[in-house]
Amino acid sequence: MQFRARRIGILTGGGDCPGLNAVIRAVTRAARDGYGATVFGIEDGFEGLVEGRMHELSSQAVSGIVGLGGTILGTSSKGDPAHYPVEVSPGKIEIRDLSYKALRNIEQWSIDVLVAIGGDGTMHNALRLSDAGVGVVGVPKTIDNDVPATEVTFGFDSATSVVCAAIDRLETTASSHHRVMVVEVMGRYAGWIALVGGMSSGADLILIPEIAFQWEHVYRKVHERQNQGKRFTIVCVAEGARLPEGDVVVRATDMRRTDSKRLGGVGERVAQCIEQATGYDTRVTVLGHLQRGGSPTVADRVLATRFGVAAAECACKGETGVMVALRDGSVRTVSLADATGPQRTVPPDDELVRAARATGISFGDA
């Protein structure tokens, strides 16, 4: 008899981003209406899977959420079952492997297939569950756009649209006051947000993790613009850009996370160095979680819906151990092993980088 999933669980792991609710809606509707499956929402990502929190998703529960930001299920970046923070005494945290609890809850809930929506960390968790015998389908989500095996993740277009709009606004005040404006954006160790957001808004300097920059080249670009009568400069810097000294700037550490580093602060360092070296009035703006918030763009709503429908079809037909992905413009499946390879970072010779250079944007390396 052909396998058909009757009970499907959905969770959203890692940081939130626009488009998550569109996936939840698409999976629920496609699985319920097309295959007669019952769909359950697992609350707060892998935390809910470990702690046993879930509820059924009805058609009414997912009605009208396609344009809603965030996730109606809640999420967490601190719920890796194999690296789970447990408070053993007031103020004291121990990291334990609680994978057995996640597996026990999946069995007790009689979940046939788990749809895991998230980024790199979520896909690694999904692969471990798959290796343990759980039917899993991954859906790639992250504003960072760094998940391997897919051309793009939903959430990225929305985030870069925020960056573009913010820099457009900052350019008017930079021009009025003849200032250097440094804009720090997210992306962790991948420079896609800074590259696309900076390029689309006409930034003058883009500093990303994949291309090492030198202070003298940054200062030279600022001086060149001044000498040409362009009395302001826009610098878009990725939070994971390494300083010429070789280090990323870390705002804080959190041992409850699999990657304990919380990046942040490189924009302030860049602004300070520019002002001290050039004498030009310099300001910094950190966009932070604004890039994750708000409604998804049209492109992200459509991509998230396509991913959700494909994930539901995979789950209901028993095609598991896979992640849905965009390849050559079409939604296809790739193995979770391929989806957990090296992070998808910006190739230094990428066509986008070449186009940016050709239009006068400097990466601080020449």
Side-chain angles (χ1 to χ4, degrees):
M1 181 181 295
Q2 185 179 14
F3 172 85
R4 174 167 288 190
R6 294 298 182 186
R7 294 168 68 87
I8 297 173
I10 308 176
L11 63 78
T12 54
D16 67 304
C17 80
L20 284 167
N21 286 320
V23 179
I24 295 168
R25 170 181 175 270
V27 172
T28 302
R29 288 193 169 180
R32 287 174 59 93
D33 299 345
Y35 296 90
T38 303
V39 182
F40 299 90
I42 298 167
E43 299 168 11
D44 301 327
F46 288 97
E47 281 190 11
L49 189 62
V50 169
E51 297 174 7
R53 292 183 276 110
M54 68 94 167
H55 60 273
E56 183 176 346
L57 291 175
S58 63
S59 294
Q60 184 177 1
V62 298
S63 179
I65 66 172
V66 67
L68 184 65
T71 165
I72 63 170
L73 299 178
T75 189
S76 172
S77 57
K78 304 171 184 175
D80 180 352
H83 186 90
Y84 205 84
V86 177
E87 187 172 7
V88 294
S89 62
K92 183 178 181 181
I93 300 293
E94 283 188 3
I95 302 301
R96 296 179 179 175
D97 185 351
L98 299 187
S99 301
Y100 73 94
K101 287 191 174 184
L103 295 171
R104 182 183 62 195
N105 286 329
I106 289 172
E107 182 179 3
Q108 289 181 346
W109 295 336
S110 299
I111 297 296
D112 297 314
V113 178
L114 175 69
V115 176
I117 311 168
D120 178 67
T122 295
M123 293 308 123
H124 278 85
N125 292 340
L127 179 60
R128 284 195 291 268
L129 290 173
S130 179
D131 289 342
V134 178
V136 184
V137 178
V139 179
K141 165 247 48 166
T142 173
I143 66 170
D144 303 338
N145 200 36
D146 62 353
V147 176
T150 184
E151 293 171 0
V152 69
T153 56
F154 73 87
F156 175 66
D157 187 72
S158 299
T160 51
S161 295
V162 170
V163 174
C164 179
I167 293 178
D168 283 349
R169 289 176 176 271
L170 288 169
E171 184 172 326
T172 63
T173 185
S175 175
S176 298
H177 289 273
H178 315 306
R179 285 173 173 158
V180 177
M181 285 289 186
V182 177
V183 184
E184 181 182 314
V185 302
M186 285 180 163
R188 295 198 60 76
Y189 304 106
W192 293 109
I193 294 178
L195 175 59
V196 174
M199 188 176 176
S200 63
S201 57
D204 306 299
L205 276 149
I206 297 176
L207 307 179
I208 60 176
E210 298 86 347
I211 299 176
F213 73 91
Q214 297 298 322
W215 291 122
E216 59 266 28
H217 299 312
V218 173
Y219 306 151
R220 181 185 303 151
K221 181 67 174 179
V222 175
H223 283 305
E224 283 177 356
R225 286 183 55 79
Q226 291 287 333
N227 293 337
Q228 294 167 358
K230 302 171 183 177
R231 299 175 63 190
F232 70 94
T233 301
I234 302 294
V235 183
C236 185
V237 55
E239 64 180 355
R242 290 186 177 276
L243 298 173
E245 296 78 26
D247 298 323
V248 295
V249 181
V250 178
R251 185 179 302 278
T253 57
D254 186 346
M255 297 309 298
R256 294 173 298 176
R257 300 162 58 102
T258 305
D259 182 351
S260 62
K261 294 180 181 177
R262 287 180 54 195
L263 302 180
V266 66
E268 188 66 39
R269 293 282 294 276
V270 169
Q272 290 173 351
C273 289
I274 289 176
E275 184 164 278
Q276 291 171 3
T278 67
Y280 299 128
D281 196 14
T282 305
R283 296 290 188 273
V284 60
T285 297
V286 180
L287 294 183
H289 289 80
L290 285 172
Q291 296 157 91
R292 286 184 176 176
S295 297
T297 60
V298 170
D300 276 340
R301 296 182 194 204
V302 172
L303 182 60
T305 299
R306 294 170 68 191
F307 279 167
V309 170
E313 291 175 347
C314 287
C316 291
K317 293 178 179 179
E319 184 182 359
T320 60
V322 299
M323 182 187 80
V324 297
L326 191 70
R327 307 290 291 269
D328 298 324
S330 298
V331 177
R332 305 176 183 178
T333 59
V334 298
S335 71
L336 282 173
D338 288 340
T340 51
Q343 285 184 309
R344 181 176 176 271
T345 54
V346 178
D349 62 345
D350 190 83
E351 185 270 333
L352 284 176
V353 174
R354 297 198 305 270
R357 292 189 191 277
T359 55
I361 295 174
S362 169
F363 288 86
D365 60 337

